Amino acid sequence: MSAPAMTKTRTLVLARRGIPWGDIVFKWLLRVCLAIAVAFLVTLLVYVVYKGWSRLDPRLWENFPSIRRPERAGAKSALFGTLWVISLTAVFCLPVGILGAIYLEEYADPDRWYNRMIELNIANLAAIPSIVYGILGLGVIARGFGFGTTILTASITLSLLVLPIVIIASREAIRAVPSSIRQASYGLGATKWQTISRQVLPAAVPGMATGSILALSRAAGEAAPLLLLGGLTYVAYVPDGVLSGYTVLPIQIYGWISQSREAFHDLSSAAIVLLLIVIIAMNSIAIFVRNRAQKRW
Amino acid sequence: MTAPATPSAPASPQGPLGRARSRYGERTVQVVLVAAALVSVATTVGIVVSLVPPTVEFFASVSFAEFFTTTQWAPLFEPPAYGVLPLVTATLLITVIAVVVAIPLGLGAALYLSEYAHPRTRMTFKPILEVLAGVPTVVYGFFALRFVTPTLQGWLPAGMSPDVFNALSAGLVMGIMIVPTVASLSEDAMSAVPRGLRDGAYALGSSTRLVAVRVVVPAALSGIVASFVLAISRAIGETMIVAIASGNKPELSFNPLDAMQTMTGFIAQAGSGDLPTASLDYKTIFAVGALLFLITFVMNLISARLVRRFREVYE
């Protein structure tokens, strides 16, 4: 290398080319990909709020739908229908999903063929189109069991639809609890179920809550299966029980989109804003719980 | 400690350190847990049970040859025609449009987040992608019909102006809808690539782009392909966007500017009415549903197999 200041041109100069052009372009291309997706989301939100602004007032949640007078119509029955269906879905799918996840994580021997089959089956169910669940609800629950097109049928169908999400999320939460906790509990003489119910489950609650809220928000926005289950009917009353007829927000929105008058489209925009507020609020709670409860063991 | 916990156990006949009888209740708990896990199996059985008998009855009245080879779909008209091809081609066309949008965008976003982005940037954008995935599809349908279609009508030259209902805007919006599916699954696969591979490539003088394209993508390839397959499966099964934006006209056409009806679109349209259980119309829904189920089922199996392969490599 360059000895003292005498030698003039012996210094080895490494070619300093900077970052090649292609790399800069590539990086920007990737950024554009992400930006398009984000810009789309922003455009969608702005458009929906702008379009629905004139109808975002108490009429929306205080009035019942009206076919003849869009200016008087509201989504009261749909809002209550959504509350009913989602609460009942939570009652059905959360216990089953969490218990199923406990079995798969804590009890099941993954080398057994039947346990592998259950896992493969859950992965497959998670990717089956939602309208196929509608067919299941129509053929088996509504007509086979004779529950008809009621809140009960809708809730059971949606529970089955989001069950894989609950199971997968709960399993991840359970798996994140280190086995040293379990060993310590066994070492103190606790039985398997005592260990699970008093050590593992409390530690896994935040993860399970996150997954459950995301699953329910998915159920709240789902429309396709309910189209087959009588959701698309004109309902001008608040449901009074699990065997009541119903409509939900996504279906009500779909119904208004199908109307030809412009006023109904503004109304559907307003209802979309309402639905998005519900869903984004649920998502934010889930993300908040997740970030808050990230525990370091 | 075991003695007071198990009062029902007899005074240990097999010696001081014999295996304690498990507490009553432990067994019950296990039975309950197994039952919960079996609900998912019952769901699959229920789907098959609800699909097969009406489908079999359907094919008793309509021949396989008519269903799969003729090109007229008009089951609710008189005289009815049961050629499912128009629905299948419409599904494929819209899926292709969606995938052409979603794969580059999703893969690009995943590469950026996994290889380039600062951790803080990643923390900001991942939730945004999750919100994009959480938007109900009925909202996407509304946006496709009321915003994307008019925009396309304004931008495209007069001869290429799309119909009010068209496959193009449904496909474009569906593509954006499945970007998060592609992005998050591919990013998972990319983060599973060990750091050592990247460091080795950097030590040899590679730029970030070379590391991303020649090291990370090949190493995560099966996971990335699995995300594509899953995305295709979601596009085939998506209902509300096509029911709202692509129209209800089952016609054999490959022009994305035309209105067309997909398999899911037909099920949604025909199923919304109150059909008598015994009618052939009712069974038609199940026949199309069975076809849809079969297609997505095969795609899911392929995807699951690919995911398993990429897990095996680095764990």
Side-chain angles (χ1 to χ4, degrees), chain A residues 75 77-79 81-83 85-86 158 216-227 231-232 246-258 268 271-272 274-276 278-279, chain B residues 134-139 142 240 244:
Chain A
S77 49
L79 192 58
T82 292
L83 289 179
V85 169
I86 293 310
L158 288 182
L216 289 180
S217 84
R218 162 95 197 273
E222 197 60 62
L226 303 185
L227 279 180
L232 192 63
Y246 69 100
T247 184
V248 291
L249 278 174
I251 298 279
Q252 183 71 69
I253 291 165
Y254 176 64
W256 280 334
I257 295 172
S258 320
S268 60
I272 284 173
L274 193 62
L275 180 64
L276 284 178
V278 172
I279 283 172
Chain B
V135 171
T137 53
V138 66
V139 177
F142 174 78
M240 296 314 291
I244 293 170

Side-chain angles (χ1 to χ4, degrees), chain A residues 116-138:
Chain A
R116 280 214 310 276
M117 189 201 68
I118 294 180
E119 288 196 22
L120 190 63
N121 178 47
I122 289 172
N124 179 49
L125 279 180
I128 285 179
S130 58
I131 191 127
V132 172
Y133 283 90
I135 292 180
L136 166 73
L138 177 67

Side-chain angles (χ1 to χ4, degrees), chain A:
Chain A
M1 294 293 277
S2 64
M6 304 292 152
T7 42
K8 285 186 216 161
T9 53
R10 301 299 291 176
T11 321
L12 177 64
V13 180
L14 280 173
R16 197 179 163 284
R17 293 182 302 162
I19 302 170
W21 259 101
D23 286 26
I24 298 175
V25 173
F26 185 68
K27 183 175 177 178
W28 277 98
L29 273 180
L30 297 186
R31 278 201 179 134
V32 167
C33 289
L34 191 58
I36 290 176
V38 174
F40 181 92
L41 180 66
V42 171
T43 315
L44 185 149
L45 294 178
V46 168
Y47 175 75
V48 171
V49 172
Y50 166 77
K51 192 98 171 62
W53 191 251
S54 60
R55 281 306 316 268
L56 266 177
D57 52 34
R59 277 180 297 171
L60 188 61
W61 52 84
E62 281 174 0
N63 292 8
F64 286 113
S66 158
I67 289 169
R68 264 175 285 152
R69 299 174 162 221
E71 71 281 357
R72 273 214 207 144
K76 185 175 182 180
S77 49
L79 192 58
F80 278 90
T82 292
L83 289 179
W84 267 96
V85 169
I86 293 310
S87 320
L88 216 55
T89 301
V91 169
F92 292 141
C93 83
L94 299 189
V96 173
I98 291 171
L99 292 177
I102 296 173
Y103 171 74
L104 288 173
E105 277 302 308
E106 300 283 337
Y107 287 85
D109 173 0
D111 291 332
R112 299 279 176 172
W113 67 269
Y114 46 84
N115 292 324
R116 280 214 310 276
M117 189 201 68
I118 294 180
E119 288 196 22
L120 190 63
N121 178 47
I122 289 172
N124 179 49
L125 279 180
I128 285 179
S130 58
I131 191 127
V132 172
Y133 283 90
I135 292 180
L136 166 73
L138 177 67
V140 173
I141 302 167
R143 302 212 165 156
F145 296 168
F147 289 164
T149 51
T150 57
I151 288 182
L152 185 63
T153 305
S155 313
I156 295 175
T157 307
L158 288 182
S159 305
L160 297 178
L161 173 67
V162 297
L163 191 61
I165 308 179
V166 178
I167 292 181
I168 291 167
S170 306
R171 287 187 69 179
E172 268 167 24
I174 294 172
R175 209 176 304 149
V177 179
S179 57
S180 56
I181 301 281
R182 294 182 186 85
Q183 308 297 349
S185 176
Y186 290 142
L188 290 171
T191 63
K192 184 151 194 159
W193 178 245
Q194 284 171 335
T195 302
I196 292 169
S197 63
R198 297 189 198 163
Q199 307 300 331
V200 178
L201 285 187
V205 159
M208 289 180 172
T210 305
S212 307
I213 299 170
L214 288 178
L216 289 180
S217 84
R218 162 95 197 273
E222 197 60 62
L226 303 185
L227 279 180
L228 300 186
L229 301 174
L232 192 63
T233 38
Y234 174 74
V235 176
Y237 53 89
V238 171
D240 57 354
V242 295
L243 292 178
S244 166
Y246 69 100
T247 184
V248 291
L249 278 174
I251 298 279
Q252 183 71 69
I253 291 165
Y254 176 64
W256 280 334
I257 295 172
S258 320
Q259 301 280 338
S260 53
R261 271 188 285 170
E262 187 68 22
F264 278 112
H265 297 152
D266 296 348
L267 191 56
S268 60
S269 289
I272 284 173
V273 174
L274 193 62
L275 180 64
L276 284 178
I277 288 173
V278 172
I279 283 172
I280 291 177
M282 287 171 88
N283 279 315
S284 319
I285 294 172
I287 292 170
F288 177 76
V289 170
R290 184 175 63 198
N291 290 344
R292 184 79 192 276
Q294 258 167 2
K295 200 166 176 180
R296 305 245 179 278
W297 291 95

Side-chain angles (χ1 to χ4, degrees), chain B residues 170-276:
Chain B
L172 290 177
V173 171
M174 195 192 286
I176 300 279
M177 182 202 83
I178 53 181
V179 162
T181 309
V182 177
S184 84
L185 273 174
S186 321
E187 215 227 309
D188 286 348
M190 288 174 195
S191 0
V193 175
R195 247 207 103 74
L197 286 186
R198 295 188 181 89
D199 290 345
Y202 280 125
L204 291 171
S206 312
S207 63
T208 316
R209 174 175 64 101
L210 285 180
V211 172
V213 176
R214 304 250 178 97
V215 177
V216 176
V217 169
L221 195 62
S222 57
I224 293 173
V225 175
S227 82
F228 294 170
V229 177
L230 204 61
I232 296 172
S233 164
R234 281 204 63 188
I236 292 174
E238 171 46 41
T239 305
M240 296 314 291
I241 295 178
V242 291
I244 293 170
S246 85
N248 287 330
K249 209 171 63 177
E251 228 163 272
L252 191 66
S253 157
F254 288 98
N255 182 359
L257 304 174
D258 285 350
M260 47 184 76
Q261 188 171 44
T262 64
M263 293 190 277
T264 53
F266 166 74
I267 299 173
Q269 184 211 1
S272 307
D274 200 13
L275 295 170

